Structure formats: structure tokens, C-alpha cells
Amino acid sequence: MRLRAPLSFDQCEAQVEDMMEQGIAFSHVEDAIDTAPLSDLHKAALWLLAWSLRDRMQQRHDARCMLAAAAGGWGGR
């Protein structure tokens, strides 16, 4: 088996964009980002990129669900 060098940040960025364009489930894209050999800052940037490539209505729906959960004490004080 031939070992491959870890993906660069640029390669990971292209991979995230490609996965989103293919319509791969966001949770799978998140998993790919989580397992990438990158810093937390780079992973956060990739997650934000993936989020921005989602359908606008789905973004709004998920944001409203999180707001409702927070208002119900899910992550509150």
C-alpha cells in the first residue's frame, strides 16, 4: 500500500466544495471536515464554507431550530 501525504487546506477546500455540489448530506461533509488533519481554525473555516453552500431555506430552518432550542433552555444558563 502506498502512503499518501495528508490533504492540504486548499485540497480540503476543493473537496468540501465538490461534496456540496454533488449534494452529499451535510452531516457527511461535517464528518469529512472533522476527520481532516487540520487545525480547529481551518476546520471551522471549512465548516463555514460548507454551511454557506447549503440551500438558503435549509440554513434558515436549521438556524430557527437552534434558536428555539436555545430559547427552551437547551443550551442556556
Side-chain angles (χ1 to χ4, degrees):
M1 175 193 285
R2 187 171 163 233
L3 295 177
R4 292 175 33 182
L7 292 175
S8 69
F9 179 69
D10 290 340
Q11 291 168 321
C12 289
E13 180 181 348
Q15 182 179 359
V16 165
E17 288 184 18
D18 186 51
M19 292 173 76
M20 294 302 295
E21 287 174 8
Q22 290 180 36
I24 294 175
F26 188 70
S27 61
H28 293 294
V29 177
E30 286 182 307
D31 290 343
I33 293 169
D34 285 343
T35 60
L38 299 170
S39 71
D40 288 343
L41 178 61
H42 286 102
K43 289 179 183 184
L46 290 172
W47 184 89
L48 187 58
L49 171 64
W51 177 269
S52 74
L53 295 171
R54 296 176 76 207
D55 175 70
R56 177 176 262 174
M57 294 302 293
Q58 188 63 49
Q59 287 177 359
R60 183 167 293 145
H61 175 266
D62 289 349
R64 290 194 191 282
C65 286
M66 286 301 289
L67 287 168
W74 171 75
R77 301 168 207 181

